[in-house]
């Protein structure tokens, strides 16, 4: 995801991040009235950053010896999808049907809306490394080199900033200057493998939790999910009209914090295919909804989640 695309879809970015802020505000303020504050803080990050936050929270809790709280982020990560996916799908379907009412008028004014612009390859950026050397092994080596530099910088600054935030900053810089490719891990063919590894790592932490232990926190998890989604809805509803979106689209953008890519891409594609009656309508819907969903997921799961999880770990 380039900075140019983020700036182009800045309204979706603001709504998604504001939705995360609404989630944190409501869950912390209200949730802490009913449940242990530390358990609330341990459970919230996966609600605002999906797998990335869950992984960071599990690692952070283990590093601090807070194994009693390990089940919270894992259970939150598993449970919120039960509510998040159907709700997001329903919102996108509602938005799709709303958009199709103006299909004839909008396509008459802008015929490009019926073209598959989401699949059009962006103009490649100038790379520092010749394409001939960009094998899978070399791409992975470049990613590793950036990670090593970030780690060295973090050590040199005596961990003034959380190391995960440093990784993020170095990755963005390396991508912008052309050292790292777009979707580097996907291009190297290891993205899915790493994703499965992260999921396996997160679920493996449940080995220290009994079934009764999970049942004992299930009510807290469900209540926090309800509060979190309510916070997202309130903020999205308030910002939708000023930002020129329907409340359905705004709320769907905010909900990308629950899962991010590739779920946001898959869900939007499936909804567009289901709601549309032909390929032109499908492309029309994708051109309207896909960019907002992708940047929303990137801003929350890929960026904000790292900062939020890193900060919440310090509060527990």
């Amino acid at each position: 995801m380039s900075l140019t695309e983020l700036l182009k879809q800045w309204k979706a970015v603001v709504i998604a991040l504001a939705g995360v802020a609404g989630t944190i505000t409501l869950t912390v303020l209200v949730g802490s009235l009913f449940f242990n504050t530390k358990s609330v803080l341990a459970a919230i990050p996966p609600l605002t950053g999906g797998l990335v936050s869950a992984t960071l929270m599990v690692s952070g809790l283990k590093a601090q010896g807070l194994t009693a709280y390990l089940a919270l982020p894992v259970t939150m990560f598993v449970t919120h999808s039960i509510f998040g996916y159907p709700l997001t799908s329903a919102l996108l379907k509602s938005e799709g049907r709303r958009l199709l009412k103006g299909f004839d008028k909008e396509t008459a004014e802008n015929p490009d809306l019926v073209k598959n612009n989401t699949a059009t390859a962006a103009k490649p950026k100038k790379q520092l490394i010749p394409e001939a050397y960009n094998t899978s092994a070399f791409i992975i080596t470049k990613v590793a080199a950036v990670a090593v530099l970030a780690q060295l910088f973090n050590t040199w600054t005596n961990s003034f900033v959380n190391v995960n935030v440093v990784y993020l900053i170095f990755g963005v810089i390396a991508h912008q200057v052309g050292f790292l490719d777009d979707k580097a891990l996907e291009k190297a063919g290891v993205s899915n493998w790493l994703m499965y590894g992260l999921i396996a790592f997160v679920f493996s932490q449940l080995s220290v939790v009994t079934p009764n232990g999970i049942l004992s926190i299930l009510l807290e998890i469900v209540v926090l999910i309800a509060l979190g989604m309510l916070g997202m809805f309130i903020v999205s509803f308030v910002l939708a009209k000023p930002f020129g979106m329907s409340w359905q689209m705004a709320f769907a953008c905010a909900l990308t914090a629950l899962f991010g890519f590739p779920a946001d891409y898959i869900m939007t594609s499936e909804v567009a295919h289901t709601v549309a009656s032909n390929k032109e309508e499908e492309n029309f819907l994708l051109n309207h909804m896909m960019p907002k969903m992708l940047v929303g997921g990137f801003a929350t799961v890929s960026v904000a989640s790292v900062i939020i999880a890193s900060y919440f770990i310090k509060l527990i």
Side-chain angles (χ1 to χ4, degrees):
M1 180 67 65
S2 67
L3 292 178
T4 302
E5 186 63 26
L6 287 174
L7 292 174
K8 185 178 179 181
Q9 297 291 338
W10 67 271
K11 293 180 180 179
V13 172
V14 172
I15 288 178
L17 294 178
V20 168
T23 293
I24 293 174
T25 301
L26 210 57
T27 50
V28 171
L29 293 181
V30 180
S32 297
L33 297 177
F34 300 97
F35 307 106
N36 178 276
T37 301
K38 288 188 175 182
S39 67
V40 170
L41 294 175
I44 290 174
L47 191 56
T48 64
L51 178 60
V52 174
S53 285
T55 305
L56 293 176
M57 288 303 296
V58 166
S59 299
L61 291 171
K62 287 187 69 176
Q64 295 187 35
L66 300 172
T67 55
Y69 298 105
L70 280 177
L72 288 158
V74 180
T75 307
M76 175 62 80
F77 169 67
V78 174
T79 309
H80 72 51
S81 300
I82 299 173
F83 304 94
Y85 287 142
L87 178 58
T88 306
S89 178
L91 290 167
L92 289 175
K93 287 179 181 178
S94 177
E95 174 68 2
R97 288 189 287 267
R98 185 191 70 82
L99 288 170
L100 287 179
K101 292 178 181 178
F103 175 79
D104 293 332
K105 181 180 178 181
E106 288 197 48
T107 53
E109 296 174 354
N110 185 4
D112 287 342
L113 287 174
V114 297
K115 297 179 181 178
N116 190 4
N117 296 327
T118 59
T120 302
K123 184 179 180 180
K125 295 188 302 182
K126 184 178 180 180
Q127 297 291 322
L128 295 180
I129 308 297
E131 188 63 28
Y133 293 98
N134 253 1
T135 62
S136 294
F138 194 69
I139 292 173
I140 296 172
T141 301
K142 290 193 294 182
V143 173
V146 174
V148 169
L149 288 175
Q151 182 64 55
L152 291 174
F153 177 84
N154 187 68
T155 302
W156 179 65
T157 57
N158 199 27
S159 299
F160 178 74
V161 179
N162 184 277
V163 66
N164 295 304
V165 178
V166 177
Y167 287 144
L168 175 64
I169 294 172
F170 270 66
V172 170
I173 294 173
H175 175 261
Q176 288 303 305
V177 300
F179 182 71
L180 291 182
D181 303 77
D182 293 336
K183 301 180 180 179
L185 295 180
E186 289 184 34
K187 191 173 181 179
V190 298
S191 179
N192 290 337
W193 181 82
L194 290 174
M195 189 67 69
Y196 295 145
L198 284 176
I199 293 174
F201 168 74
V202 170
F203 285 139
S204 69
Q205 308 311 310
L206 290 176
S207 61
V208 299
V209 184
T210 64
N212 287 335
I214 294 178
L215 289 175
S216 67
I217 63 173
L218 198 55
L219 175 61
E220 177 179 356
I221 293 297
V222 172
V223 171
L224 290 177
I225 291 173
L227 289 172
M229 289 186 173
L230 178 60
M232 285 184 183
F233 171 73
I234 292 172
V235 172
S236 303
F237 189 83
V238 171
L239 293 180
K241 189 173 182 179
F243 279 59
M245 291 188 198
S246 67
W247 70 266
Q248 293 95 330
M249 189 71 248
F251 193 16
C253 283
L255 285 169
T256 57
L258 300 180
F259 37 81
F261 188 86
D264 50 6
Y265 178 86
I266 295 171
M267 196 177 307
T268 307
S269 298
E270 287 298 318
V271 167
H273 182 73
T274 301
V275 175
S277 57
N278 54 57
K279 196 63 179 178
E280 287 74 21
E281 288 185 355
E282 183 177 343
N283 291 337
F284 173 77
L285 294 178
L286 288 174
N287 289 329
H288 271 288
M289 298 190 296
M290 186 68 80
K292 297 180 180 67
M293 293 295 288
L294 291 181
V295 298
F298 178 82
T300 53
V301 175
S302 300
V303 180
S305 65
V306 177
I307 300 171
I308 292 169
S310 300
Y311 179 69
F312 271 49
I313 280 290
K314 297 179 180 179
L315 299 178
I316 301 176

